Amino acid sequence: MSHIRHVLMSLLCCVLLLSSARASAQDCGQYDRKEYDAYSARAEQQLTELEKLADGILARGAMTDADGARNDSLTNDYAASMFSAYQVVYTAAELAAKSEGREGDARLTSDFELVASKHEPRTIALALKWEKIHAAITQGEIKQAALERQEGSTSPVKQLTQEGLQQLTRRDDMVRPDFLKIAARGEAEQKSFVGSCKSAASVLGNFILPTAEAAQIAKCIGPCVAKNWGACLQCIGNAAPVVINAWNEFVGCWNSAGECKWYKPWNCAKKAWCLAKFIAVLA
């Protein structure tokens, strides 16, 4: 019996050691393709829901408080999903470059850029839809619709919004441990590409991004896919602070815009442009 107990304890120790090693590896930046796929799929779903939400408001000619809250939550959560996916891409490319292809996956830069490049025009179109909603509300073509809710029921919209707000409040939690040094360098080299976000009417004119800040991932596809490891590592290293700055700017822009309300549609448009500019940097 004691022998069996000893064997079981040994097996348990092995399991614990493996679990600990796995956790440590993740903290050090281990690449997980399934993790990337999950973030990418989630981002696609969230962007699709954002598009349907704006289209629904335009089609109904009415906007509820729930519509505004859900738009805020989805905008925030979608940006967080894309940023999380980017961090996996960075880790995969960095591991590949440092191991000369034995670990990681440099080709993931191409996969992510394809997603981001497809999302970029969609987020711009989304922002333009909110500009249209803004104009329609101002002209009285879109009116407020009351939110019907049963007594004692829990609002899933409120839950989603709380989750989204927590992500932005805990901004540093979105940055992985292996990104902390890069994040610090990004803060030190802070550049403002979002602009003041003060006026929804002027956002379109401010949308032009400096070439040095736009489409960061696209620049790295060539050397990374071609297995030019030195150039690949240098490219993703140069891009990372810009992307982190873009995330920080999105957070600041999102928070400063105010809640998306039917009587404050300019806030909704501002947040849509904050999002479009962030995605433009990722592409």
Side-chain angles (χ1 to χ4, degrees), residues 52-64:
K52 289 180 179 179
L53 179 61
D55 288 338
I57 294 170
L58 288 168
R60 293 193 313 269
M63 179 176 170
T64 68

Side-chain angles (χ1 to χ4, degrees), residues 260-273:
C260 176
K261 298 283 190 180
W262 76 272
Y263 56 88
K264 292 183 178 180
W266 52 87
N267 289 348
C268 315
K270 287 178 187 177
K271 288 181 175 178
W273 283 115

Side-chain angles (χ1 to χ4, degrees), residues 101-121:
R102 291 186 297 275
E103 299 178 56
D105 185 358
R107 295 171 299 178
L108 202 60
T109 54
S110 178
D111 293 351
F112 180 74
E113 194 276 336
L114 180 61
V115 172
S117 64
K118 288 182 178 180
H119 284 200
E120 182 180 4

Side-chain angles (χ1 to χ4, degrees), residues 58-270:
L58 288 168
R60 293 193 313 269
M63 179 176 170
T64 68
D65 289 340
D67 289 333
R70 183 151 182 77
N71 180 74
D72 277 354
S73 174
L74 284 170
T75 300
N76 172 20
D77 293 345
Y78 165 65
S81 295
M82 289 295 285
F83 182 55
S84 296
Y86 162 78
Q87 291 182 85
V88 177
V89 171
Y90 176 91
T91 300
E94 183 185 45
L95 284 171
K98 289 183 175 180
S99 67
E100 296 187 344
R102 291 186 297 275
E103 299 178 56
D105 185 358
R107 295 171 299 178
L108 202 60
T109 54
S110 178
D111 293 351
F112 180 74
E113 194 276 336
L114 180 61
V115 172
S117 64
K118 288 182 178 180
H119 284 200
E120 182 180 4
R122 290 171 63 185
T123 55
I124 294 173
L126 178 66
L128 291 173
K129 287 177 184 178
W130 276 106
E131 294 277 6
K132 188 175 181 179
I133 292 171
H134 177 196
I137 290 176
T138 302
Q139 296 167 9
E141 298 173 1
I142 292 180
K143 303 181 183 299
Q144 180 189 23
L147 175 62
E148 297 180 359
R149 188 180 302 162
Q150 296 179 354
E151 287 294 329
S153 65
T154 302
S155 170
V157 173
K158 185 176 181 181
Q159 292 174 352
L160 281 170
T161 303
Q162 288 175 342
E163 178 185 350
L165 288 174
Q166 286 172 356
Q167 286 183 350
L168 288 181
T169 301
R170 304 192 312 270
R171 185 193 66 183
D172 290 342
D173 286 359
M174 289 300 302
V175 183
R176 297 173 175 226
D178 51 318
F179 263 63
L180 291 178
K181 292 182 180 179
I182 301 173
R185 179 157 56 96
E187 292 282 5
E189 300 172 0
Q190 186 77 20
K191 296 179 181 178
S192 176
F193 71 93
V194 171
S196 62
C197 288
K198 291 180 180 178
S199 170
S202 65
V203 177
L204 182 57
N206 294 335
F207 185 69
I208 304 300
L209 294 175
T211 304
E213 293 174 343
Q216 289 297 313
I217 303 303
K219 303 174 183 178
C220 302
I221 293 176
C224 290
V225 174
K227 300 181 180 181
N228 186 346
W229 302 124
C232 174
L233 188 61
Q234 182 178 8
C235 183
I236 61 173
N238 291 338
V242 179
V243 173
I244 292 172
N245 284 339
W247 167 253
N248 292 340
E249 292 286 355
F250 168 78
V251 171
C253 187
W254 193 98
N255 283 329
S256 67
E259 289 183 282
C260 176
K261 298 283 190 180
W262 76 272
Y263 56 88
K264 292 183 178 180
W266 52 87
N267 289 348
C268 315
K270 287 178 187 177

